């Protein structure tokens, strides 16, 4: 019996090695010769509503990748649950590299706010590259009697729970920037989650809420047009697109320095060869002068890091935002 078991075991091990080698070779062939296949539809899922920063970047990327690959790349918006409806959708698609996603802080670093997710973003999604990062703009309705962060904090403390800020959903970058401000300033402002930034912005413009901690592309035109006012930006320096809006540090909050970021992600089951092909081609696109200029015009900076660099970046950011979630006792359930 032992003899038979040993023979079977050796045969099984041999077959297993052959299978692994075949899978690796197949993945390499897929990336080098058959991917992307012009006969297959390539999709970029944006897990937020149309019109927001992630949507802008997704459509820029789809256009440039389509040019590089010589085939159309479509964008699909699948908002809800702070981006996790879209995240789960991507995980559930065939792991062939034809369904990409524009990820965010909420999907990769702040998913701890959800205790009942039906998937594990940290394990089920693979970050191909960090696409771009940007500071946020603390933006207010014109009627709010505050011109800067100091006045905002004083107003909120003097009238607790009277200032409401909107976000793209619990755990979204727009939400987390507001929670970081609350934690550092002690200002008792009230969070109002929406299905996406566009819906929150509509209520900000309509006066139903007073404040947002929004990505620059979404609010630049409204600030320049006088429909909203910028109180501060959360980066280390002022935005070239908003030179008159001070940094948070200039407004008296020296530690309120944070950026949000976007990724390109796929299911973690996508073959490694395809992931590497995607990483190389996306980085090639993002590092073109045309794409970098397009990002800069929207208040964003290109990142386009390698696979190991992206993994390390996301790990650091998750540790940071996990701390904010714990201190703020933030939960979506």
């Amino acid at each position: 019996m032992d003899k038979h078991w040993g023979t079977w075991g050796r045969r099984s091990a041999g077959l297993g090695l052959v299978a692994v080698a075949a899978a690796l070779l197949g993945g390499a062939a897929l990336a080098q010769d058959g991917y992307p296949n012009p006969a297959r539809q390539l999709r970029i899922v944006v897990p937020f509503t149309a019109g927001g920063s992630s949507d802008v970047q997704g459509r820029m990327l789809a256009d440039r990748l389509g040019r590089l690959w010589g085939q159309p790349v479509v964008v699909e918006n699948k908002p809800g649950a702070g981006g996790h409806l879209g995240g789960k959708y991507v995980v559930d698609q065939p792991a062939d590299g034809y369904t990409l996603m524009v990820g965010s802080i909420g999907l990769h670093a702040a998913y701890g706010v959800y205790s009942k997710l039906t998937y594990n973003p940290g394990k089920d999604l693979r970050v191909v590259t960090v696409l771009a990062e940007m500071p946020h703009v603390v933006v207010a309705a014109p009627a709010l009697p505050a011109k800067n962060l100091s006045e905002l904090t004083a107003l909120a403390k003097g009238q607790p729970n009277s200032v409401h800020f909107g976000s793209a959903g619990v755990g979204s970058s727009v939400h987390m920037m507001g929670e970081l401000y609350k934690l550092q300033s002690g200002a008792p402002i009230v969070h109002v989650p929406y299905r996406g930034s566009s819906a929150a912005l509509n209520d900000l413009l309509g006066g139903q809420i007073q404040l947002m901690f929004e990505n620059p592309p979404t609010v630049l035109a409204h600030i320049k047009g006088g429909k909203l006012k910028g109180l501060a930006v959360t980066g280390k320096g002022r935005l070239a697109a908003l030179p008159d809006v001070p940094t948070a540090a200039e407004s008296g909050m020296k530690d309120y320095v944070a950026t949000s970021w976007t990724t390109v992600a796929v299911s973690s089951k996508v073959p490694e060869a395809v992931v590497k092909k995607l990483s190389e081609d996306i980085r090639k696109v993002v590092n073109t002068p045309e794409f970098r200029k397009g990002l800069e015009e929207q208040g964003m900076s290109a990142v386009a890091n390698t696979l190991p660099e992206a993994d390390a970046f996301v790990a650091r950011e998750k540790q940071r935002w996990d701390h904010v979630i714990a201190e703020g006792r933030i939960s979506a359930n």
Side-chain angles (χ1 to χ4, degrees):
M1 184 175 180
D2 289 342
K3 180 180 179 181
H4 291 160
W5 173 259
T7 301
W8 182 87
R10 287 191 295 274
R11 287 177 179 172
S12 296
L15 289 172
L17 290 172
V18 169
V20 170
L24 291 173
L25 289 172
L30 179 64
Q32 294 170 8
D33 302 323
Y35 181 87
N37 186 332
R40 299 285 305 278
Q41 179 66 70
L42 280 148
R43 298 178 296 167
I44 297 179
V45 172
V46 175
F48 302 103
T49 51
S53 173
S54 294
D55 186 61
V56 170
Q57 293 174 69
R59 293 180 190 281
M60 286 175 59
L61 184 63
D63 176 56
R64 271 59 169 200
L65 279 179
R67 295 186 204 176
L68 178 66
W69 289 337
Q71 63 186 102
V73 180
V74 301
V75 174
E76 295 183 5
N77 296 88
K78 294 189 177 294
H84 289 291
L85 288 183
K88 181 64 165 58
Y89 174 83
V90 170
V91 167
D92 288 342
Q93 299 310 295
D96 52 14
Y98 287 86
T99 303
L100 318 180
M101 181 183 71
V102 178
S104 65
I105 284 177
L107 279 149
H108 301 299
Y111 57 87
V113 301
Y114 290 90
S115 62
K116 299 178 182 178
L117 287 176
T118 55
Y119 78 119
N120 185 329
K123 292 182 179 180
D124 296 338
L125 291 170
R126 177 75 185 277
V127 174
V128 173
T129 188
V130 177
L131 182 62
E133 66 177 340
M134 71 203 87
H136 279 228
V137 184
V138 185
V139 61
L144 187 74
K147 298 187 296 293
N148 52 52
L149 283 189
S150 296
E151 292 183 6
L152 172 64
T153 301
L155 174 67
K157 288 182 175 180
Q159 302 176 37
N161 303 321
S162 65
V163 178
H164 295 73
F165 77 98
S167 81
V170 177
S172 65
S173 62
V174 182
H175 174 211
M176 299 310 293
M177 291 292 174
E179 293 292 345
L180 184 61
Y181 164 74
K182 285 177 64 176
L183 188 63
Q184 293 188 354
S185 68
I189 59 176
V190 180
H191 175 227
V192 182
Y194 288 80
R195 193 173 172 82
S197 280
S198 297
L201 182 61
N202 285 338
D203 273 6
L204 180 63
L205 290 166
Q208 283 78 29
I209 57 175
Q210 295 78 44
L211 196 66
M212 284 185 74
F213 298 77
E214 186 53 89
N215 298 307
T218 311
V219 295
L220 283 175
H222 297 299
I223 294 173
K224 291 179 179 180
K227 294 181 179 179
L228 297 173
K229 56 184 177 182
L231 305 185
V233 295
T234 65
K236 293 180 180 179
R238 295 193 181 196
L239 278 176
L242 294 172
D244 297 328
V245 179
T247 64
E250 290 176 312
S251 303
M253 293 186 66
K254 63 181 181 64
D255 295 325
Y256 187 39
V257 179
T259 60
S260 70
W261 37 271
T262 51
T263 70
V264 179
V266 294
S267 164
S268 61
K269 294 180 181 179
V270 170
E272 187 68 15
V274 175
V275 171
K276 289 180 178 179
K277 168 69 172 172
L278 281 169
S279 178
E280 291 169 2
D281 284 358
I282 291 169
R283 290 170 59 218
K284 186 185 300 182
V285 165
V286 175
N287 282 321
T288 61
E290 178 188 22
F291 199 95
R292 297 179 78 93
K293 182 180 179 182
L295 290 175
E296 289 168 3
E297 288 173 349
Q298 299 293 328
M300 299 177 277
S301 300
V303 178
N305 50 15
T306 64
L307 286 165
E309 290 169 343
D311 288 341
F313 178 93
V314 171
R316 289 194 302 271
E317 285 288 289
K318 186 174 188 308
Q319 185 176 29
R320 175 186 194 177
W321 293 109
D322 276 348
H323 173 72
V324 174
I325 291 167
E327 290 295 314
R329 298 180 180 180
I330 305 165
S331 174
N333 302 116

